[in-house]
């Protein structure tokens, strides 16, 4: 349950939020919890707790994953991982009943995979084409599903084989993003892992509970550093989040949301968080989503640069520019396709640094975003299931710099508001309503007037719906919810529309 927000007590609400910011507040995921449930022989207490959580969180149709929205890639990997864990470790009569129900659900979702996977508007979850074939092969061996062969999940395994062949002369270590999905190596790809250089200083592999559980189960069986990380990461109910910690991400995004509120820069409680972000910054490289994560990226780097500068702390712009490519800014090295939201945040950072359309890098990002949007009035991105996230952040980044790029998007948001004041691509959510309201408020401040009634209805709906859980809309290896980041956006929107 999300703590209720009283919009009449905004100063205290903001202070409470700032005090809560830390290593990361994320809802549990079935996928990561399922991998921890395999640790029976190595860490029985972790395994038993994780398995108990899985048995309590099977969805009514027999699958696992986000109850809503129904994102097919998420349901496939979560259900496969959960069923494998139950088949291997579930010995109670109730477990057997769930396995039977899960088998029926698995066969249904894999038989529908061709249409289902193509129906997800933002494409695959992180590492899907590498992770899914490993899980499918294991599920086939356990008799959980029929041989996939030429079905779509079977064909995806051929894509995995091609990628593994491409990597034959390159080891997967903590210096590359693939470590985050190390479990994709399965049994046949273990030789690709640079075992001695795979773990982070906290014992994790890619600060991922699932990758770390795989490592402790199959690569360095019973590794104490990995198990210590998992014990420290496990929640009281036995579940695990998609990633932990993600301190830079949580602090950076939360403070960016709060920075949109006029007059907040002098808040006394902000200094420790700003100091943390400043210390995490590596010259000419920027930051990653966690201070202890080796890999850096342009998304976190740009947004943290933007945020720090909003609060009067200047970092080297070279950290942002180091990700520049011929026609866009990459998010990670060796990425398969560019991130739209990362380029949006690059544009925001460049604008915050005082650059405008006379600058070649600003022009480059604007051209990329124009092309990426195509004929649609909105943007969709691979890190978030809702177009309101990328589109709203684009409006905020472009306002006052390149207005014509987002003017049509502003009109789209205005026209898409529900009669009760909310927004939502799949269902009405406080998160998406907050993003839309933030964008319209910034546009109202910097560019052109927005009808007051639109913002009033949004504020009313937000204030009435803040005690409801946040549906997972963020895309990792499965869908997840960075709860405090979302809450910061809602608080920001309420403060702006109040």
């Amino acid at each position: 349950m999300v703590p209720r927000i009283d919009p009449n007590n905004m100063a205290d609400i903001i202070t409470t939020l700032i005090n809560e910011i830390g290593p990361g507040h994320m809802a549990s995921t079935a996928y990561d919890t399922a991998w921890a449930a395999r640790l029976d022989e190595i860490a029985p207490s972790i395994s038993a707790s994780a398995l108990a959580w899985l048995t309590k969180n099977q969805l009514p149709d027999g699958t696992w994953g986000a109850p809503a929205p129904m994102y097919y890639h998420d349901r496939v990997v979560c259900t496969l991982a959960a069923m494998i864990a139950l088949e291997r470790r579930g010995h109670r009569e109730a477990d057997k009943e769930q396995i039977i129900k899960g088998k029926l659900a698995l066969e249904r979702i894999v038989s529908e995979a061709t249409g289902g996977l193509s129906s997800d508007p933002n494409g695959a979850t992180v590492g899907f084409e590498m992770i899914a074939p490993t899980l499918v092969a294991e599920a086939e061996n356990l008799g959980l599903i029929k041989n996939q062969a030429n079905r779509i999940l079977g064909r995806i395994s051929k894509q995995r084989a091609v990628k593994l062949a491409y990597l034959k002369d390159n080891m997967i270590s903590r210096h590359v993003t693939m470590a985050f999905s190390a479990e994709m190596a399965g049994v046949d790809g273990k030789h690709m892992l640079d075992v001695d250089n795979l773990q982070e200083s906290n014992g994790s592999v890619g600060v991922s509970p699932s990758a770390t559980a795989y490592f402790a189960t199959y690569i360095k069986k019973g590794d104490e550093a990995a198990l210590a990380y998992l014990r420290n990461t496990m929640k009281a109910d036995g579940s695990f989040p998609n990633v932990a910690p993600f301190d830079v991400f949580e602090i950076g995004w939360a403070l960016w949301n709060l920075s949109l509120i006029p007059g907040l820069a002098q808040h006394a409680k902000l200094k420790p968080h700003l100091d943390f972000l400043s210390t995490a910054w590596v010259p000419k490289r920027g930051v990653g989503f966690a201070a202890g994560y080796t890999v850096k990226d342009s998304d976190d780097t740009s947004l943290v640069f933007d945020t720090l500068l909003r609060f009067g702390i200047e970092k080297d712009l070279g950290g942002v520019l180091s990700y520049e490519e011929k026609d866009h800014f990459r998010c990670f090295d060796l990425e398969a396709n560019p991130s739209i939201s990362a380029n949006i945040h690059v544009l925001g950072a460049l604008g915050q640094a005082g650059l405008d359309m006379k600058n070649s890098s600003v022009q480059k990002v604007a051209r990329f975003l124009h092309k990426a949007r195509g004929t649609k009035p909105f943007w969709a991105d691979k890190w978030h299931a809702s177009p309101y996230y990328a589109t709203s952040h684009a409006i905020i980044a472009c306002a006052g710099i390149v207005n014509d790029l987002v003017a049509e998007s502003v009109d789209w948001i205005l026209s898409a508001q529900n009669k009760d004041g909310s927004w939502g691509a799949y269902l009405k959510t406080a998160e998406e309503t907050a993003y839309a309201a933030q964008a319209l408020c910034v546009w109202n401040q910097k560019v052109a007037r927005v009808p007051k009634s639109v913002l009033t209805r949004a504020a009313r709906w937000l204030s009435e719906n803040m005690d409801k859980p946040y549906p997972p809309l963020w895309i990792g290896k499965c869908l997840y919810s960075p709860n405090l980041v979302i809450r910061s956006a809602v608080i920001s929107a309420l403060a702006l529309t109040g």
Side-chain angles (χ1 to χ4, degrees), residues 200-228:
E200 299 288 354
S201 59
N202 64 0
S204 75
V205 174
V207 292
S208 163
S210 48
T212 307
Y214 161 79
F215 181 83
T217 306
Y218 299 104
I219 306 303
K220 268 194 173 181
K221 191 171 183 177
D223 181 78
E224 277 304 320
L227 293 178

Side-chain angles (χ1 to χ4, degrees), residues 218-237:
Y218 299 104
I219 306 303
K220 268 194 173 181
K221 191 171 183 177
D223 181 78
E224 277 304 320
L227 293 178
Y229 163 80
L230 290 170
R231 291 189 187 99
N232 291 332
T233 304
M234 185 173 69
K235 298 185 179 185
D237 62 1

Side-chain angles (χ1 to χ4, degrees), residues 266-393:
Q266 303 305 315
H267 199 293
K269 296 281 188 178
L270 290 171
K271 188 177 186 304
H273 299 308
L274 293 170
D275 288 346
F276 179 88
L277 293 178
S278 184
T279 301
W281 186 274
V282 178
K284 297 183 179 180
R285 292 183 63 208
V287 294
F289 59 75
Y293 182 43
T294 301
V295 178
K296 313 305 178 190
D297 66 90
S298 69
D299 200 18
D300 291 280
T301 293
S302 299
L303 188 128
V304 167
F305 177 93
D306 185 350
T307 300
L308 288 174
L309 201 51
R310 287 169 181 267
F311 289 103
I313 300 171
E314 186 172 359
K315 291 297 179 180
D316 63 292
L317 191 58
V320 177
L321 296 175
S322 66
Y323 297 91
E324 191 164 10
E325 299 287 350
K326 183 179 178 181
D327 59 1
H328 68 283
F329 279 70
R330 70 183 181 280
C331 187
F332 291 105
D333 292 339
L334 303 176
E335 65 186 4
N337 56 297
S339 162
I340 290 172
S341 64
N343 279 271
I344 288 169
H345 293 141
V346 166
L347 183 60
L350 297 177
Q352 196 64 35
L355 304 180
D356 56 25
M357 282 300 289
K358 296 177 183 178
N359 178 268
S360 61
S361 296
V362 173
Q363 294 171 14
K364 178 181 295 186
V365 178
R367 285 195 299 269
F368 169 80
L369 292 176
H370 184 270
K371 183 178 180 180
R373 192 187 65 185
T375 59
K376 302 183 297 294
F378 57 83
W379 286 270
D381 187 48
K382 63 182 181 180
W383 303 132
H384 202 283
S386 170
Y388 290 106
Y389 171 73
T391 305
S392 296
H393 279 218

Side-chain angles (χ1 to χ4, degrees), residues 107 119 138 152 173 182 213 220-221 228 239 281 301 318 339 342 358 386 388 413 418 421 455 458 472 477:
E107 187 55 38
S119 70
E138 194 169 1
I152 188 168
S173 72
K220 268 194 173 181
K221 191 171 183 177
S239 64
W281 186 274
T301 293
S339 162
K358 296 177 183 178
S386 170
Y388 290 106
I413 287 180
N418 296 310
L455 302 178
K477 286 185 275 191

Side-chain angles (χ1 to χ4, degrees), residues 417-453:
Q417 186 181 35
N418 296 310
K419 290 182 179 180
D420 60 8
S422 66
W423 281 270
Y426 302 89
L427 64 163
K428 301 172 184 179
T429 72
E431 180 179 359
E432 293 164 287
T433 301
Y435 295 148
Q438 284 178 314
L440 293 178
C441 285
V442 170
W443 191 257
N444 187 63
Q445 293 166 4
K446 294 186 175 183
V447 184
R449 303 301 296 175
V450 169
K452 188 175 181 179
S453 59

